[in-house]
Amino acid sequence: MMIFSERVAALRTAAQDGDGEAAREYGRLLGLLPSVVVGEEEPVWSGEPWLRAAVAARPGDALARTLLGSLLVTQVAEWRNIIEIAPDVDVAAIEAANARRREEAVELLGGVLRDDPEAPTPKACLAALAEVSGGGDYPEEESGVFPYDYHRVRTELWSGSVCTTVQLVVTDPDELRWACDSWLDHEVLAGALTLTSYSRGERIGTAALPEGPTGTVDWEAVTIPPLPGVPLPPGHPAPHWRAYYGFTMEVG
């Protein structure tokens, strides 16, 4: 894990020096972690500034544009969730901000599709955006068989009758370990974590992620099954209702 943390630090340094590809990868990795909340302002998704820097530095980078568009879809969903559970919030302000997010997401993802009309991830992200905006269904593959493999980590945190679902959709085992250990650094998110791995829509393994004596997951007690098929593309939603790529949280 130390080696992976050093890799993340190196990406940050390169991104700070103006490397657009490093900014894209650093922003993607930060999208696997909990959002940062600053005072009473909107949550700041920590990867967003870096993905924006990547798009600015490399306007033709389809992956950077897709990742930023995917993150905006996630933001729209999380703020719609806030409206649903907290009717006393400033709904008009949230809807106005979400309208801006939707417009930018459509521009980013639509631009990728204009260059590559068959790109699956922008299509799936736009379908997810339509669903959360009330104009469509959550994305499903036309063939009926989801073609990708991925890991999904999930926990439920209860406060009275209110349940907060926290989840992570990811493909790389090192990224999974790094992200889950960071969750346990946030006491409010600490809960029993369950890892479920999927290949082409079929479950291939389920395991509890036990906390070790150092406050991180006891990874020596966990076997992460290899993914035998095509890994889920970065930014692509998983075929569970509102299970977006990276870290998400929903209260209900």
Side-chain angles (χ1 to χ4, degrees), residues 23-114:
R24 183 194 71 203
E25 283 305 291
Y26 185 57
R28 181 185 67 81
L29 289 173
L30 290 182
L32 309 181
L33 305 182
S35 302
V36 177
V37 178
V38 181
E40 298 299 322
E41 301 297 327
E42 293 185 7
V44 176
W45 278 257
S46 52
E48 182 178 351
W50 301 101
L51 293 177
R52 291 191 179 282
V55 170
R58 297 158 56 95
D61 188 331
L63 179 54
R65 295 174 66 84
T66 298
L67 286 168
L68 181 55
S70 175
L71 180 60
L72 290 166
V73 173
T74 302
Q75 291 177 358
V76 170
E78 292 199 11
W79 276 103
R80 286 297 306 167
N81 178 233
I82 289 173
I83 291 175
E84 292 168 2
I85 64 170
D88 56 334
V89 298
D90 189 341
V91 174
I94 291 175
E95 289 290 19
N98 267 355
R100 294 193 299 271
R101 294 186 182 102
R102 283 192 293 269
E103 182 178 355
E104 184 179 8
V106 168
E107 179 182 354
L108 288 162
L109 299 166
V112 176
L113 285 174
R114 283 192 293 274

Side-chain angles (χ1 to χ4, degrees), residues 1-184:
M1 192 56 61
M2 179 63 69
I3 293 174
F4 187 82
S5 296
E6 291 173 355
R7 176 191 160 201
V8 175
L11 282 172
R12 177 183 176 88
T13 298
Q16 289 174 326
D17 289 340
D19 185 323
E21 185 175 359
R24 183 194 71 203
E25 283 305 291
Y26 185 57
R28 181 185 67 81
L29 289 173
L30 290 182
L32 309 181
L33 305 182
S35 302
V36 177
V37 178
V38 181
E40 298 299 322
E41 301 297 327
E42 293 185 7
V44 176
W45 278 257
S46 52
E48 182 178 351
W50 301 101
L51 293 177
R52 291 191 179 282
V55 170
R58 297 158 56 95
D61 188 331
L63 179 54
R65 295 174 66 84
T66 298
L67 286 168
L68 181 55
S70 175
L71 180 60
L72 290 166
V73 173
T74 302
Q75 291 177 358
V76 170
E78 292 199 11
W79 276 103
R80 286 297 306 167
N81 178 233
I82 289 173
I83 291 175
E84 292 168 2
I85 64 170
D88 56 334
V89 298
D90 189 341
V91 174
I94 291 175
E95 289 290 19
N98 267 355
R100 294 193 299 271
R101 294 186 182 102
R102 283 192 293 269
E103 182 178 355
E104 184 179 8
V106 168
E107 179 182 354
L108 288 162
L109 299 166
V112 176
L113 285 174
R114 283 192 293 274
D115 294 334
D116 181 4
E118 299 306 315
T121 301
K123 283 184 178 180
C125 289
L126 287 172
L129 181 63
E131 182 277 325
V132 79
S133 300
D137 297 324
Y138 194 76
E140 295 182 359
E141 297 301 316
E142 293 179 1
S143 65
V145 177
F146 194 72
Y148 303 120
D149 294 7
Y150 56 95
H151 303 291
R152 183 187 184 207
V153 179
R154 190 171 182 272
T155 188
E156 291 184 351
L157 308 172
W158 287 87
S159 176
S161 61
V162 177
C163 177
T164 300
T165 301
V166 181
Q167 60 185 353
L168 170 72
V169 174
V170 70
T171 59
D172 182 87
D174 286 337
E175 294 177 6
L176 186 156
R177 296 184 187 98
W178 174 73
C180 288
D181 284 346
S182 78
W183 288 16
L184 298 180

